[in-house]
Each structure stands twice: as C-alpha cells, then as structure tokens.
Amino acid sequence: MIRFIHTADWQIGKPFAAMKEVAAQLRAARLDAIDALAAQARARGIVHVLVAGDVYDGENLARPTMLAPLERMRQATGIRWWLIPGNHDPHRAGGIWERVIAGGLPDNVRFCGVTEPLEMEAGVWLLPAPLMAKHTARDSTDWMDTAETPAGSIRIGLAHGSIRDFGQRQESPNVIDPARVGSARLDWLALGDWHGIKRIGPRIWYPGTPEPDAFREARTGRALSVSIAGAGALPDVEEITTGHHDWQEIEVQLSDSASITDLADRLGSEVGSRSIVRLKLIGAVSPGDLARLDHVRDVLAARVCHLDEVRDRLGLALDDGALASLHLAGVLGSVAAGLRETMEQGGPDANTARDALMELYTRAGGA
Amino acid sequence: MLLSSITISGAGRFTAPHRIAGLQPGVNVLAAPNETGKSTFMSALRLAMFAPFKTASQKLLGRLPSESVALPLHVAVEFSLNGHAWRLDKQFVKAAHARLYCDGGLVADSQDADARLWSMLGIDGADGRHFEMLWLEQGRSIELPTVAQSALQGFSAAVEQALGSVVDGGPARDLWAELDDALKPFLTSSGGIKKGSQLEVLISGVAGMEAAAAALEQKIAAVDRQRGELADVRARQAGFTRTGIAADLARALESATQALTAAQGRAGERAVLERNLAAAQSILNKAQSDLEEAHNARQELIGLVAEVEAAALGLAVARTAHDELAAQSAAQAKSDGLKARRESLEADLRLAALRKSWANAQASLPGLQASKAREAEVKEALANATGQLAAMPALTQADLDQLGAAELAVIKAEAAAGAGRAHVTVTALGKAAVAIDGSVLGAEPARFSLDQPTRIRVDGVIEVAIDPPAAPGALEERLAIARGSLASGLSDLSLTSLDEAREVFEKRRDLQRIVDDSRRDLAAFGSGMISASANLDQCQSQIAALEAQLDSLANDWREAPALDDARIAADLETVVQSLLEAEADASAAEAALGASRGRLDQARILLDTRSEILSRLRARRDETGLDILAGEASKRLEAAQAGLAQAKAALASHDHLHDGAPSLEQLEIARQRAGDAQANHAREAARLNERRIELEAILRNGGHDGLDEDLAELQGRLELERRERNRVQARVDGLVLLRARVAAALEAEQTRLAGPVSAALAPYLGMVFPGARVSFDHAFSPTALGRPATGSGVAPEAFEILSMGTQEQIGILTRLAMADVLSSNGQAWPVILDDALVYADDARIQQLFDALTLAGRSRQLIVLTCKENAFAHLGGNRVTIEPVARDELKA
C-alpha cells in the first residue's frame, strides 16, 4: 500500500508581468501552492509528494526565486518530496539544477536526476524519467521497460512530457508513449506538462498545475491524491484543490442593451476577489450602450483581482436612426455614411472606421 | 435688370447734379481721366441701391471716395426690371427720403421704398449681398473675389438653386478644424509623428523595450549556448574516459618508444659488431705484422745467439788462460784481479759520471726550451733595437763630448761676456793673515779691482788666483765662435740642442746595450743549446750502452756495482793503489807471465767482443722472447682470424635476424606520431578541462540570474506598452481617418459647388486662357489655375503665385461667371467694373475685351476706365458724365 500526492508544473518564477498590480500576488500564490500541497498531504497522512517536472519556470532565475520553493519544502517537515526536471527546468549542464544541487537540497527533498529505480519505501519503487534538455526526441520513459525492481514491487513512473496521440503532432518533443504503463509494468505513471488535470488512463494522469496561471486551462489549480493497494492493483485517485486564484476568460457577444445587462448579471455570479478575468467583448453596441458597458466594466474591475478587457472585436452599432439623431446632413452626413460602410464591410480599416465614427459621433454631440 | 441712368449730387466733386445717361444693354464704357468722378458715381449707386435712406452721415462718408463731399447726397437711378421702368430717388442725411417709382408712378417711399427695392434685387439688407461680387470697386480688381458672408450666402443660394441641392460645408469645415487641432499634439503638419508627442514616446518606448528584450534574449541564448558547450565538453570528456583513448595513446606511445629503443639497441649492437669486426681486422693485421716482425727478430736473434755462443766460447778460453795464469802467479792474479777491479770501477765511475751528465742534461732541457723562447724574444728585441738605432743619428760619446765642450765654451763665453768688470771686497776677520797681491790686509775692509790678475792668500789655508776678464771685443768674438761651433756640431748631427743630443745619445746607448745584450744572449743560447743537446744525446746513448753492458754482465760475470761514484772513485783509488803495489810485486813475476800474456790479451779481446755482443743483446733484450712472441703472434693471428670470422658471422647473423624490421627512421616517425598524438590528446583534454571549469564557474556564478524573470517582466511591460501604443495609435488613426474623410467630402462638395461657376467660367476662360481650368475653395475664391501648358499630370499653379495680371484677369472672369450663375434664376444683374484690368498687357486686354463683349450679350456691363485709348478697342456703348439741371435730378 502506497499513498502519495501527484503534482507538477509549479513553474516557480513565472513573473506575470503583464498583470502589473497583481504580479507579485500571483507569484506568491505559486509558492503558497507548495504549502497547500503539504497541508493536503498532512491532512491525509501522506508522506510522499511526487512532482512531475517544471518545478521552475526557467533556468535563469534569481537566486531568491530559486531558493524559495526549496525553503517551502524544507519547512514542510514530515513530507518527502520527489522531484524531476521538466522542459522548463531541464537537468542539463550548467542548468538550474546544478546550481540548486550545488547549494544543497533540504533533507526531505529528493532530486531524481538520473534514470535509476529509487525505493520510496519498502516494496515501492520510483522510476524517474528526468528531462535533460528542453526538447528531446526520445521517449524519456523508455528505460522503464527494462528497469529491474524486486518481484511484487509497486512500480511508479515519474515523467514530464506530452502523451502521444494527445493532440500534438507525432514529431512533437518530449513525447511519452501511454503504453509505457503496460510495457514497464507501472502501477502509476505520474506525468507533468499539462496544466489542467487530465486522466489519460486508470494509471496515467496529469495533475495540472497546483496554482492556475493561465486562461483557457480547464480544471486547473489541483493535484491528485493517489492510493495503490499493491502491485497490479488499480489506483484510487482523488482530485484535491490547491489553487487560490480563479482564472477566467469570458467571451461575450454584445448586441444591445439587454446583452449588457446579461453580462452584468453573469459576472456578478461567476467572479469574485480571487478571479483573474479576461473579458473579451465582441459584437457591436450603440454609442449609448457603450457608456453602460464602461460602467459594467468598472464595477467588474473593482470586484475581481485583475481584469483584462479586450475590445478588439467590439464594434459600434450606428444605425440610421442614431445618425439621424445627430442631424448629420450634407458633408458630415456623407462622411458618417462612408465610415459606417467601411466599418460594416469589416476590412482592415473597419476598426479605425469604427473609432473615427465614434469620434464623429462624440464630436457631433451624440455621446 | 438694366440700368438706364445714374444721377448724383452732393458727393465728391459733384456738388451740382451730374448724370451718366444712355446706358444700354451690353457693354457700356465710361472712359474718362482720373479725378473725373467715375468712382464717386459707383459709390453713390451702391449707396442708393443698398443703403437705407436714413443712413448716418458718418457711414455715408465711409462709403464714399475721400474726395470732398457736399452732403446731402442725392442719387437718382433709373432702371428696368421685370418689364417695368423703375426710378429710385434717394436722398441721405438732410431731408432724407427714398422714393420708388414704377413706370412713372410712385409705388413706395421711405423704408417701404428700400424694402421694395431690396426685395426686387433679391437681397435681405443693406450690404448688397451678391452685388458685392458683381460691382467691382476701383482698386479691388486684384483681390480675390472674396465677399462678405452674406454675399456668399446669397451666391450660395444661387448655386444651390442651380444645383438643386443644399450647400452644407460649414459644419464639416468646422469639424475638420477641430480634428486638425486634435491631431496637432500627435502629428506634424506633413502628417509625420511629432517628436515628443505621446504617440512618439510610446512608439519609441516600445522600440526601446523590444531592443532590450532582444538583448535579454540574446543573453539567454548565450547562456544556453554556454550550457550546450558545457554539455559537449562534458560529453567529450566522458568519451575520453569511456573509450580510454588516453590509455590507448599512452600504450601506443610506450609501444613505439619500446620499438624505437629496441631498434636503437639493435643499431648499437650492430655498431658494436661493426666495431668488433673492424677491431678484429685490426687485430689480425697487427698479429700478422707482429708475426712477421717476430720472425724477423727471431732470425736476427738466432744470429746473435750464435755470436753469443761464440763469445762464450772465447770467454771460456780466456778463463781457462786466466786460470792458468792465476795458478802460475798469485801476484799476477792479484794484479789481474786488481786490474779487473779497476776496470770495473772505472766503468762504474764513467757510468756514474755519464748518468750525472744525463741527469744534468735532462734537467737543463726545460731551461733550454725556455731559452729557445727567450731567444725568440731576444731576437725580436734585437731587431727592434737595431732598427731604432739605424733610424737615429750616429751620435758617439766623442760627438757628445765635443758638443758638450762647445756648449761649455758658449756658456763660458756668455758668462765672460756678461760678467762685466769684476771686483772683490775682502775683510780680515781674525788673526789669520790675509794677503792680497802680497799686501796683508788690515782691520778695515779693502776693495780691489780685478782688472789685473790678483792673488788672494790666506796663509796656511788657501791661495786664490783671480784672472781679469778678457777684453769685451775678444769676449764677443769668443762667444760667436763658441756658438758657431756648437751650432755646427748640432747641425752635423741633425740635432737642435745639446739636451736633444744627450737624449739621443742616452737612447742610442740604451739601444746599443740592448743589442749587445741580445747578441750576447743569442751567442750564449746558440752554444748552450748545442752543447746541451749534444750532452743530452751523448749521455743518453752512453747510459743506455753502459746499462745494457752492466745488466747483461750482471748475471754471468760479476755483481753490478752500486752506482755510487764517490765510493767507486774511492774504491778505484784504493784499487789503483793496490794495483800499483801489486804490479810492483808482480813485475817480478812478469817474466813468468809473459808466456801467458798473449792468451790473456786474446782473452781480453774476446771479452771485449763478448761485451759488445752482450751489449747488442741487451739492446735487444725485449726481443729475447721473440720466439715466444713469434709463437704468441701466430696464436694471436689465428685468434684474430677467428675473431674476424666470428665478428663477420655475428654481423651477418644480426642483419639476418632483423631483416625486414622497420627502419629506425620509420620507428622514429611512429614514435613522434604517437608522442604528438598523446600530446595533442593531453592538450585537448587539458583544454576541455579548463573550459569545463570555466563554463561551470560562469554558469554557477549566477551572472545570468534572473534573466528569465527580467525578460518575462520586460515582455509583460512591453505587452502593456504595446497595448497603450496601439490604443493611442488607434485613436490617432481614427482621427486621421475622420479628418481625411471630412477633407475628401469637403473637396467633393466643393467640386460639386464649383461646378456651376466653372461651367459659367469656361467660355470666358477659353478666350483668355484656352484649355485652362480654375479651382475654387468653398468661398468660390480661385485657388489654382491649371493650364495645358503645364502638361498632363502637372499640378495646377496656386493662385497666389500667379502674376498680378493673371490674378486680376481670373478674378474678373470669375465675376462674370458668377454673374451668369446668379442670372440662372432668370434675372441678369448688371456687372460694373470700376477701373479693372489695370495690369493687363496689350495682347491679353484684347482677349479680355472679347470676354467682356461675350458677357455683355447676356447682361449689362458697365466698364469704367481711365485708359481711354486702350479701352477704345473695347467697343460697346460709350457714355459720359454730364451735368444736369437740379430739376432734372428731382424729376
């Protein structure tokens, strides 16, 4: 019987510079995720935490950044951390792990830098597949097929890469054959690289990153609690939540005032102070609705942790009535009509025509 | 509308009523000199038509020419309009009134008259509106046909009527101006981005960040390359270790070294064998030579042995005889013994003496050799001294003495010549009696002249004779002779002074001494060397002979005496003494011995012979073993032959054994190659190790710490900066687009509005500027003239840069066109040109006249000019200003 936490892709050092005011908060949250993992392990009486690569976001990190996760792990007494390097922090000559090792690892941290079976505890063997380069054409797990462990042992693979036939092209780097579980007689293949939790098979999982770090990642901010009763037994898998922030990309089609009202209602129920929101507005609204939209946007910005509004594809709805309300006759009337035509044709000048029309509308007293 | 007459009074020079009458349709020309009141008429006409009759005098004055005014102004204008004959009678300031008559009857007066008139003219107020365009005042012909806004509105209304649509450019132009103002913070007048503007700052900021990001990416790439290189270095080092190439190269080097060493050993062995072969050959040659020599010596020895045997036989005979004699006489025996002893001792003594001589000669040899060296030095010194002597004057002691005497004579003569007259003062100091010339001196000093010979005598002590000097003449002569003698002597010897002569003499004497000593030394060296060498040779030969004799006799005849010459001499003396005694004793027995004396002599001869033979044997004593030597030589010869054969066999065997082995040069090349390979490998291994250490140090020292974060941070800020730039750029783009669209719409509108004017202008323009086209702005002011002469595609000329004459002509033609546009509603308004065409040249003015004539076909044209002659060609209806009766004005 073995129980462990399976996590990956901490990517400590990711800067989130585009998030300006909350960048430091987001960086800190990634370190806090280590504490959360330790707390979840302790709560379950689990000793081992397997980290399937990409502990660091890069190889050229500042020393405090490099040392920070080690200190978090050191402070997690009673927890034994098993780490492998991933494509973001490969164990290569002069790489970050050489510096980490040179500085000394905490006693409760085991860096698996070579392909050799490691006995986690009696009868349980870990087969690590460290990445030695950012990109490798070889399946890093292929050595597991011939890795010898005592008969009856529980064999756990630890690797970082993409699963073949996983949506990537065949020639993608760092590809792992999902059939490795069978060929290497693995009871569990702990993978990393995919930032959303993903089940490949009963014995192959991606736990995702413990702290969300991007939009468009489903089921992120989690880890896996795994129990294996014995060699050959099916693992018992539990998803556990470790993330703090909630990254949401919300794309809304706007067409009229009602759609703006719907948006306000939806945002009121879906986002909160931990939310990192990218609001992508598409469609077109009338000049009058634009002011309402701006208000909704401001309320949202005040409510969430960070708001990134994208209006690239939001047009201006100027119908004949709106134009007529401006009494734009003669020359200006023809200008407004021409701009509206350009905008509606959707060519490369459409957005500029929209802005010009909005400018005309504003200067003509329409807004 | 057709003006018929204009009558004025109270304006300018016209204090009395004057009139322009007879105005007809078409072109009317009022040609009159300046100051005749043409413009006053035009001003009065404007006031009458457009000014309210209650216009204040100040306003009136402002609208009249600056000539003297004789208010009240009274103007009467007759015209036909809409098929009726109209008369306007209007007086300003004093008794102001306005009356409008139609077909002879009053139809309105006062304000009604003004209102009725303006209504008929299509104007709203007193500003004349479109008539501003048609009635061109004096001095304004060069101006653009810009008019008051009200006039423009009137004209625009006419254009709108012509176009059938609304003219609306004002708001658009206002908006364009607003947009232009809004863009000024961003763009230059040429459309470029203004330096220091928000947009420019954002663009440059983005560019700077992009450059910084690129630099960071390059740094990270450089670190990646270093990591890659470190991996390569480690891989190569691991490859070295894995393949054991260092050990392989070391083994190869060791093997090559061993092979080379072995080959060098073999070469050494072969050299030894070759040397052995040469030595064996040499031994063989020597053995053969020795053998031959031994054989020769042996033969010689055999002969000598025979001689020795013969001598031994003679000795035996002599002994026998001696024994017989000894037996006969003891005395004789004693004598013989003593003689023999004497001979022996004499021989010993001679030997000792010779040895001493030999030793002395030997000892003198180094000295002789040193003397030889000294002899060479002496010879050199002799040659040197002899040469110097030959080069010097042949000065002898006699010469020197003679010169010395001559100089002394000179000195003496000089002394004598310089002595003057001498005297002596003598004082007796004591008891001793001093007498001078026989007179004894007393106690007082006495002074004596020395002119005569004087004798001073001190009794018992001294007598001094003083001779007086010679006569002065004789002294001078003597001095000359002495000096001549001295000079002559010096000259003969090529000398200049006696001191030089003495110096030369001393030098010659020294040189002569050197020569003499050298010659003496050489003579001594010569005799000494000869005698010493002879002594040495003699001694050596004697020593050798005697030593041989004594040694050879030592064993078989007598003990060799110690070579103590003193003892030998003493013994010899004793023996001689004894011998003398014995001889004395033996004389008695001499007779008895006579018989055997002959045999004794023979024995002595034999003894001498034997001694000689033995001496020869002694000289060849080393050859006594010649038999042995010969035998050994034969053995050595055989051994040498065997050794030679063995050496040849060994060399052949060596060559055979190593036949086909690599040459020494090949092995040396192989050894060098192996050494180079190992050295290269060692260098490469060292270089790799150094590089590995260096790279590890670089990568561990953290020079790249934070680069990823810095880059990501920069990229994040860059993204934000780009967004802001894009936002501002989009806003500017929107403004620019809107401004461009407004400008385009305005241009299109203007083109549309200018259409009626352009169309009306075309016939007139074609007469003056064939094929030309005029552009207008929104106020219908000409902006450019495009002429065919500028060619297709050539930009039209801006109105401002045209010549004054052209501007004037375009302006007049445009007004004619505007008049046509205004007349499009059916009413042809008259056009008045007051002193226009000021700048037209003769050629152009004719074309303008044509245009005016053309315009006169459809409306009334009144041309006022001061150029009577020039305008005579215009034709038309000539009118004049005529005075009229005041009553006529009122009528």
Side-chain angles (χ1 to χ4, degrees):
Chain A
M1 174 70 175
I2 177 74
R3 299 180 65 202
F4 56 87
I5 298 287
H6 172 193
T7 179
D9 299 286
W10 294 356
Q11 296 195 206
I12 302 299
K14 193 166 185 174
F16 303 103
M19 303 292 181
K20 274 206 294 196
E21 71 279 2
V22 294
Q25 182 179 332
L26 295 176
R27 288 196 294 268
R30 304 200 75 70
L31 288 171
D32 293 341
I34 300 173
D35 298 340
L37 287 166
Q40 293 279 17
R42 284 200 192 94
R44 288 165 174 76
I46 292 174
V47 172
H48 302 288
V49 178
L50 308 186
V51 187
D54 282 356
V55 172
Y56 295 106
D57 187 53
E59 297 181 277
N60 306 303
L61 302 179
R63 284 188 66 79
T65 307
M66 186 181 77
L67 296 175
L70 300 178
E71 291 310 303
R72 296 294 180 109
M73 287 187 281
R74 189 198 304 276
Q75 290 163 8
T77 54
I79 305 296
R80 186 153 179 77
W81 307 84
W82 302 81
L83 317 178
I84 62 168
N87 62 311
H88 276 258
D89 55 352
H91 182 33
R92 58 174 173 167
I96 190 169
W97 286 107
E98 284 197 358
R99 294 165 61 208
V100 168
I101 293 167
L105 287 167
D107 292 339
N108 59 339
V109 173
R110 178 63 185 266
F111 174 69
C112 310
V114 296
T115 52
E116 63 180 8
L118 301 170
E119 189 170 21
M120 295 174 64
E121 57 184 54
V124 181
W125 289 82
L126 182 67
L127 308 180
L131 283 184
M132 314 302 277
K134 283 181 179 290
H135 308 295
T136 175
R138 185 180 60 82
D139 185 343
S140 62
T141 64
D142 57 4
W143 76 280
M144 296 178 184
D145 289 351
T146 55
E148 294 184 357
T149 56
S153 299
I154 295 174
R155 289 161 65 94
I156 301 171
L158 183 60
H160 188 90
S162 305
I163 284 293
R164 189 170 295 163
D165 300 327
F166 196 58
Q168 286 91 353
R169 293 173 300 172
Q170 196 70 9
E171 63 271 21
S172 297
N174 309 329
V175 172
I176 294 170
D177 185 357
R180 186 71 59 204
V181 170
S183 62
R185 306 174 308 286
L186 298 177
D187 295 292
W188 183 260
L189 178 53
L191 295 179
D193 193 27
W194 199 257
H195 282 214
I197 197 166
K198 191 171 289 290
R199 178 183 183 275
I200 307 302
R203 299 178 190 275
I204 314 179
W205 285 69
Y206 284 95
T209 179
E211 174 63 28
D213 60 352
F215 301 108
R216 292 182 170 184
E217 286 287 1
R219 300 174 68 198
T220 184
R222 307 179 192 193
L224 298 174
S225 172
V226 182
S227 298
I228 304 174
L234 276 178
D236 181 17
V237 183
E238 176 193 3
E239 295 183 19
I240 56 178
T241 300
T242 53
H244 177 79
H245 291 102
D246 169 32
W247 291 58
Q248 290 192 53
E249 183 174 271
I250 302 172
E251 185 171 292
V252 180
Q253 177 80 38
L254 298 176
S255 57
D256 51 20
S257 180
S259 63
I260 295 174
T261 302
D262 291 344
L263 170 64
D265 293 343
R266 175 184 170 187
L267 294 178
S269 61
E270 290 183 4
V271 301
S273 60
R274 295 183 175 186
S275 298
I276 310 292
V277 178
R278 174 177 288 163
L279 182 59
K280 302 181 78 170
L281 302 176
I282 59 178
V285 295
S286 68
D289 288 338
L290 268 182
R292 272 199 68 217
L293 185 60
D294 287 345
H295 177 70
V296 169
R297 186 263 323 276
D298 292 344
V299 170
L300 176 62
R303 180 181 301 159
V304 300
C305 180
H306 176 78
L307 174 64
D308 180 20
E309 187 193 34
V310 181
R311 289 192 180 190
D312 290 350
R313 294 190 292 162
L314 181 64
L316 194 62
L318 274 178
D319 55 16
D320 294 340
L323 286 176
S325 69
L326 297 176
H327 306 289
L328 293 175
V331 173
L332 292 184
S334 69
V335 169
L339 289 173
R340 188 171 70 170
E341 183 181 357
T342 303
M343 182 183 75
E344 290 174 351
Q345 284 174 346
D349 293 334
N351 284 344
T352 305
R354 176 199 62 196
D355 295 342
L357 194 56
M358 192 64 201
E359 190 76 36
L360 174 62
Y361 182 85
T362 303
R363 290 180 181 275
Chain B
M1 184 183 186
L2 181 66
L3 293 170
S4 303
S5 68
I6 306 165
T7 306
I8 66 170
S9 172
R13 64 177 61 248
F14 303 114
T15 54
H18 282 69
R19 174 181 295 165
I20 299 173
L23 294 170
Q24 299 294 325
V27 177
N28 296 271
V29 179
L30 172 57
N34 290 328
E35 309 301 327
T36 54
K38 300 188 294 294
S39 296
T40 302
F41 258 89
M42 286 302 103
S43 298
L45 175 62
R46 284 174 176 273
L47 288 170
M49 298 297 284
F50 309 133
F53 74 99
K54 285 190 175 180
T55 299
S57 59
Q58 289 302 318
K59 282 191 176 180
L60 288 178
L61 290 174
R63 297 186 183 185
L64 287 169
S66 58
E67 302 154 359
S68 59
V69 176
L71 296 175
L73 172 64
H74 191 172
V75 184
V77 182
E78 293 176 329
F79 59 93
S80 60
L81 180 66
N82 300 327
H84 299 282
W86 298 83
R87 174 184 170 88
L88 176 64
D89 185 357
K90 213 165 185 177
Q91 179 162 321
F92 297 89
V93 183
K94 189 174 180 181
H97 66 264
R99 300 186 187 96
L100 181 65
Y101 301 90
C102 178
D103 296 330
L106 179 66
V107 293
D109 63 356
S110 302
Q111 290 89 343
D112 291 341
D114 283 341
R116 179 76 178 268
L117 173 65
W118 295 340
S119 175
M120 288 191 300
L121 296 180
I123 60 178
D124 294 332
D127 55 7
R129 300 201 73 175
H130 49 272
F131 287 95
E132 292 287 334
M133 299 179 178
L134 306 182
W135 293 2
L136 186 58
E137 295 179 22
Q138 184 183 35
R140 291 183 60 189
S141 64
I142 191 64
E143 295 177 6
L144 293 172
T146 52
V147 293
Q149 187 64 26
S150 58
L152 183 61
Q153 287 174 358
F155 183 73
S156 296
V159 171
E160 287 175 2
Q161 188 174 357
L163 293 172
S165 62
V166 176
V167 173
D168 180 29
R173 279 188 291 278
D174 293 342
L175 176 60
W176 188 93
E178 281 182 31
L179 295 172
D180 203 49
D181 287 342
L183 283 170
K184 278 178 182 171
F186 300 102
L187 302 178
T188 63
S189 57
S190 61
I193 297 173
K194 186 173 284 184
K195 195 167 183 62
S197 68
Q198 182 190 15
L199 181 57
E200 193 270 343
V201 169
L202 286 168
I203 289 172
S204 59
V206 167
M209 287 183 181
E210 287 173 342
L216 277 174
E217 286 170 348
Q218 287 179 352
K219 279 186 180 178
I220 292 171
V223 173
D224 280 347
R225 284 196 296 276
Q226 287 171 335
R227 290 194 176 104
E229 185 184 356
L230 178 59
D232 291 342
V233 168
R234 285 179 177 170
R236 291 194 63 192
Q237 286 187 313
F240 286 170
T241 303
R242 188 173 61 254
T243 59
I245 188 169
D248 287 348
L249 291 171
R251 281 194 294 274
L253 177 60
E254 185 180 356
S255 174
T257 304
Q258 287 176 350
L260 178 61
T261 304
Q264 287 171 337
R266 287 196 301 274
E269 288 172 1
R270 194 177 191 284
V272 168
L273 291 174
E274 286 175 343
R275 282 199 299 276
N276 288 345
L277 181 61
Q281 186 65 51
S282 175
I283 290 169
L284 177 61
N285 294 341
K286 181 68 168 60
Q288 287 174 336
S289 172
D290 287 349
L291 182 59
E292 186 177 352
E293 188 177 355
H295 278 300
N296 294 338
R298 189 168 180 276
Q299 292 302 320
E300 186 178 358
L301 189 61
I302 290 170
L304 288 174
V305 167
E307 291 178 9
V308 168
E309 287 175 348
L313 183 58
L315 180 61
V317 172
R319 277 184 174 174
T320 301
H322 183 271
D323 291 343
E324 288 174 354
L325 286 172
Q328 291 174 358
S329 175
Q332 187 64 40
K334 186 178 179 182
S335 176
D336 291 344
L338 288 171
K339 286 181 179 176
R341 176 64 177 161
R342 185 187 66 185
E343 289 175 358
S344 174
L345 289 171
E346 285 175 346
D348 287 344
L349 187 60
R350 196 165 59 247
L351 175 63
L354 289 174
R355 279 180 173 168
K356 191 172 183 180
S357 299
W358 179 83
N360 290 338
Q362 288 282 28
S364 64
L365 273 179
L368 288 173
Q369 290 167 348
S371 296
K372 283 187 175 180
R374 173 66 183 153
E375 181 185 19
E377 292 175 1
V378 170
K379 282 180 178 177
E380 184 179 354
L382 175 60
N384 189 26
T386 304
Q388 289 187 46
L389 270 179
M392 295 176 72
L395 184 66
T396 65
Q397 182 64 50
D399 295 331
L400 191 62
D401 292 342
Q402 189 175 351
L403 291 172
E407 188 186 46
L408 183 60
V410 170
I411 292 169
K412 285 181 177 178
E414 286 175 342
R421 293 297 177 261
H423 65 270
V424 64
T425 302
V426 180
T427 304
L429 300 177
K431 292 178 179 179
V434 178
I436 298 177
D437 292 339
S439 299
V440 176
L441 295 180
E444 295 299 324
R447 192 171 189 273
F448 298 93
S449 171
L450 295 179
D451 291 339
Q452 299 299 321
T454 304
R455 295 297 182 267
I456 300 172
R457 177 181 177 83
V458 179
D459 287 344
V461 179
I462 194 171
E463 184 181 73
V464 178
I466 300 172
D467 295 326
L475 287 174
E476 294 297 334
E477 183 180 359
R478 180 180 156 198
L479 179 58
I481 292 169
R483 282 176 176 165
S485 175
L486 177 58
S488 173
L490 289 171
S491 176
D492 291 342
L493 293 169
S494 301
L495 297 170
T496 58
S497 69
L498 183 58
D499 290 338
E500 183 184 1
R502 281 173 179 148
E503 185 180 349
V504 168
F505 178 76
E506 288 300 324
K507 197 167 184 181
R508 280 188 63 85
R509 190 166 59 183
D510 291 339
L511 290 170
Q512 189 61 49
R513 190 177 296 124
I514 291 171
V515 169
D516 293 341
D517 290 344
S518 299
R519 285 176 177 163
R520 186 170 55 252
D521 289 342
L522 286 175
F525 287 151
S527 60
M529 288 292 289
I530 293 168
S531 64
S533 299
N535 288 340
L536 184 61
D537 296 339
Q538 185 178 5
C539 285
Q540 285 175 336
S541 63
Q542 287 174 349
I543 287 167
L546 288 170
E547 276 182 348
Q549 182 180 9
L550 289 173
D551 289 345
S552 65
L553 291 173
N555 292 330
D556 54 0
W557 190 34
R558 60 179 172 84
E559 290 293 326
L563 297 180
D564 185 350
D565 51 350
R567 186 179 58 79
I568 291 170
D571 289 348
L572 182 59
E573 188 175 356
T574 303
V575 169
V576 169
Q577 187 62 38
S578 300
L579 180 59
L580 292 173
E581 291 172 357
E583 283 179 339
D585 291 339
S587 59
E590 187 173 2
L593 289 175
S596 61
R597 191 172 301 270
R599 284 185 292 178
L600 183 59
D601 292 340
Q602 185 179 5
R604 284 177 177 168
I605 292 168
L606 286 173
L607 181 60
D608 290 343
T609 303
R610 187 202 60 179
S611 296
E612 183 183 352
I613 292 170
L614 285 178
S615 177
R616 289 170 59 193
L617 287 172
R618 177 61 184 158
R620 300 295 301 273
R621 63 181 176 181
D622 292 338
E623 296 166 359
T624 56
L626 285 177
D627 283 344
I628 298 170
L629 288 175
E632 289 178 352
S634 296
K635 290 177 182 175
R636 286 210 314 272
L637 179 60
E638 292 173 1
Q641 288 172 337
L644 180 61
Q646 189 177 2
K648 286 181 177 176
L651 188 58
S653 172
H654 180 277
D655 290 346
H656 177 71
L657 183 63
H658 302 292
D659 187 24
S663 69
L664 194 57
E665 184 180 17
Q666 285 177 308
L667 291 170
E668 283 173 347
I669 290 172
R671 164 66 176 77
Q672 180 182 351
R673 186 164 46 78
D676 290 347
Q678 192 195 34
N680 289 341
H681 174 74
R683 277 196 297 273
E684 179 63 8
R687 187 191 70 76
L688 287 175
N689 204 43
E690 288 176 4
R691 185 59 179 157
R692 178 183 60 78
I693 292 169
E694 181 184 10
L695 287 169
E696 286 176 348
I698 290 171
L699 292 169
R700 280 184 184 161
N701 283 342
H704 51 283
D705 281 0
L707 283 179
D708 285 354
E709 290 149 294
D710 291 345
L711 177 60
E713 167 74 18
L714 186 58
Q715 287 172 334
R717 288 195 291 114
L718 178 58
E719 182 183 341
L720 295 175
E721 193 78 354
R722 279 178 178 152
R723 284 189 195 175
E724 181 62 10
R725 180 201 62 186
N726 293 342
R727 186 189 68 77
V728 174
Q729 182 72 61
R731 171 166 161 68
V732 171
D733 290 347
L735 288 169
V736 168
L737 178 63
L738 181 56
R739 185 180 65 172
R741 291 290 180 94
V742 170
L746 280 171
E747 185 177 356
E749 181 72 357
Q750 187 55 41
T751 301
R752 188 174 70 89
L753 288 175
V757 179
S758 297
L761 177 63
Y764 307 121
L765 197 64
M767 291 182 168
V768 184
F769 303 101
R773 186 171 58 84
V774 175
S775 301
F776 298 94
D777 65 6
H778 65 281
F780 303 101
S781 293
T783 56
L785 173 65
R787 285 184 280 195
T790 58
S792 60
V794 177
E797 299 168 87
F799 191 77
E800 294 81 2
I801 67 169
L802 297 174
S803 70
M804 300 287 276
T806 303
Q807 287 188 29
E808 181 189 59
Q809 291 145 24
I810 296 290
I812 291 170
L813 297 177
T814 299
R815 289 170 195 274
L816 296 178
M818 287 176 167
D820 286 352
V821 172
L822 288 171
S823 66
S824 59
N825 60 359
Q827 189 59 260
W829 303 106
V831 173
I832 302 174
L833 303 176
D834 183 2
D835 244 350
L837 301 176
V838 175
Y839 301 98
D841 57 30
D842 292 343
R844 185 64 57 77
I845 204 164
Q846 297 299 328
Q847 297 162 344
L848 281 165
F849 288 164
D850 292 341
L852 293 175
T853 303
L854 177 63
R857 289 181 177 176
S858 55
R859 64 184 41 72
Q860 184 182 42
L861 208 64
I862 302 172
V863 179
L864 288 71
T865 180
C866 59
K867 298 179 178 179
E868 295 183 60
N869 294 333
F871 277 69
H873 299 281
L874 179 55
N877 174 43
R878 293 278 165 165
V879 295
T880 57
I881 300 173
E882 300 293 341
V884 294
R886 190 165 297 275
D887 293 343
E888 289 188 38
L889 178 60
K890 292 180 178 177

